[in-house]
Each structure stands twice: as structure tokens, then as C-alpha cells.
Amino acid sequence: MQQRVTVQHIRTGPTEYRVIRAADGPGRIALYDRHYCLDMFADRDGLARLTAVWSLATRSAHSLVHLPLRAQPAPAGYQDALSNEITPVALDLLLVHHSLQFRPADWKSLRARLGPGRPHTTATPDPDFPAEYPEARRHGRGVHDHLRFDRAARTLVVTGSPAAFRFEGVGLHTLLTEAPADHHTWPAVHHCTELDAGPWRKYPTPHSPVAGRLHVQYCPDWTL
């Protein structure tokens, strides 16, 4: 999978961050915080871009990987449902390796200093994700390495280790490879996957005001 990106280095105090920002490309992706859940919508090309960016995060331990999304409205069929709720918030996506110890609260000031960056084309191999989701990880038995979801400056900040990104990315890769054919066979069926920040936390709490589950839905017939 290939992805057009820009790369730039931003220094804040003693720390310099390498920011990889996904460039505009084919396909549509939208991300909303609906307060009790996080919803992402993507068509086929959008899923390919999202999977490529997610794969890039598993291999970019020294970078912040940014996917600008908040200007993209949801598909028409879902706008009505969103309008009936308490002001859903459109978000960007930021993927961060946990070893950077990056504070989500610092993202707003860091983003404000971003410029156009230097263009690059990255390539990530197709077999970046396991063929199957390990059963022990699916149910959380003895597994303590999970993603963390935070919200800052209208951005969903996802922090984790390469293993956590890789294993949660299985669902994205499976949705990309199977949903288009499944939709052709069963067009009325809802095709989706869910990415978890640990099996113990699904809903917002006073200490964790963002939901711990990201619902990603395949939307092949995207109209505005």
C-alpha cells in the first residue's frame, strides 16, 4: 500500500517531533465523536487510505501520524441520525507511538506550527497485520497492551505500541479486503469493525471523557 504524505519536524522546548501528515487522496473518511461512541465512516478508497496510515503508525515509532478529517461531512444517510443527537463533533485522527510520551494537550499548539511540509510517498507492505485476531487478545485474557483514546483540539489521539496498533489494525485490514465483496452479495447488511482501547472501557467516564471503542463502518455508496 502506498500513501502520499508530508513530513516536517517541529521543536517544542527540548523535544523535536517528526509529524507525518497524510495528504489528500482518493476516497472519503469521516470521524465523529457522538459522546457515547466514536464513529468513523469510509468508502473503499477511504478504507485503503486509513489502513495505509494505520500500517504506517505501526512502523513509525518516532513520528506523530496525522490524518486530517474534520472538514469531511458524514455520508447523507448518516447525517440525519447525527443531527438528532447532542452536537456530534467532527474530528481529525492522530496516531502516536507510546514511547514518545506525547501529551494530547500539546497537540493544539504543535498543530498550529505545522507548515506545508516536504512531500513523500511511503510504502507499507500488505502483510503488516496478522492473518487472524488472536483469541486471547480478543477477550483480553492476560493482555495489558492496548490502545489509548484521548480527545484534544478536535482530534482523536490514539496512543499505543506497535503490537497494539498491529492487532487492532486486523479489523481494518479485514474490512478493506472483505467488505466490498460482502456488500455486493449482501447489500442490506451493515459492514463494520470496532477498534478497542481495552475490553474494560467502552463508554465515556468522568476520568476518560472519550469513548473507548471506535466503530468503523464501510459506506460504499457515499453521497453528501
Side-chain angles (χ1 to χ4, degrees):
M1 293 181 286
Q2 290 192 331
Q3 175 83 352
R4 291 189 302 111
V5 301
T6 62
V7 178
Q8 51 196 300
H9 294 81
I10 305 293
R11 180 172 291 280
T12 59
T15 305
E16 182 177 81
Y17 293 103
R18 181 173 183 257
V19 182
I20 301 175
R21 173 178 274 177
D24 291 337
R28 288 173 170 169
I29 317 169
L31 171 61
Y32 282 85
D33 181 355
R34 298 172 68 178
H35 305 285
Y36 60 89
C37 68
L38 295 160
D39 268 349
M40 181 175 278
F41 310 96
D43 60 13
R44 182 173 184 173
D45 287 338
L47 271 178
R49 287 185 63 211
L50 177 62
T51 304
V53 167
W54 199 273
S55 178
L56 182 61
T58 71
R59 297 171 168 268
S60 303
H62 303 292
S63 303
L64 309 178
V65 182
H66 179 217
L67 181 59
L69 298 174
R70 56 198 164 110
Q72 175 67 59
Y78 307 96
Q79 288 282 15
D80 293 340
L82 291 171
S83 65
N84 292 330
E85 299 176 6
I86 303 173
T87 320
V89 180
L91 302 177
D92 285 348
L93 182 66
L94 184 70
L95 308 178
V96 182
H97 192 275
H98 64 177
S99 67
L100 294 176
Q101 298 183 341
F102 179 75
R103 297 193 317 150
D106 293 337
W107 172 239
K108 184 176 182 178
S109 61
L110 190 75
R111 183 180 61 193
R113 298 174 58 191
L114 292 176
R118 291 180 291 108
H120 285 265
T121 299
T122 66
T124 51
D126 287 336
D128 228 19
F129 304 106
E132 296 181 358
Y133 199 94
E135 194 65 17
R137 189 174 184 88
R138 182 185 298 277
H139 298 290
R141 295 193 296 268
V143 177
H144 305 287
D145 184 10
H146 292 281
L147 299 176
R148 175 184 172 87
F149 294 164
D150 294 283
R151 179 178 150 184
R154 291 191 60 184
T155 301
L156 176 63
V157 182
V158 182
T159 306
S161 68
F165 277 114
R166 186 167 290 113
F167 284 122
E168 290 300 327
V170 172
L172 287 178
H173 186 260
T174 301
L175 191 65
L176 171 63
T177 55
E178 296 183 2
D182 288 347
H183 175 76
H184 181 76
T185 305
W186 301 287
V189 173
H190 175 103
H191 302 283
C192 68
T193 189
E194 291 186 334
L195 312 181
D196 288 334
W200 57 84
R201 186 172 68 82
K202 300 178 183 178
Y203 305 106
T205 68
H207 298 291
S208 300
V210 66
R213 175 167 288 180
L214 172 59
H215 174 261
V216 184
Q217 181 170 345
Y218 173 56
C219 303
D221 304 315
W222 191 307
T223 58
L224 300 177

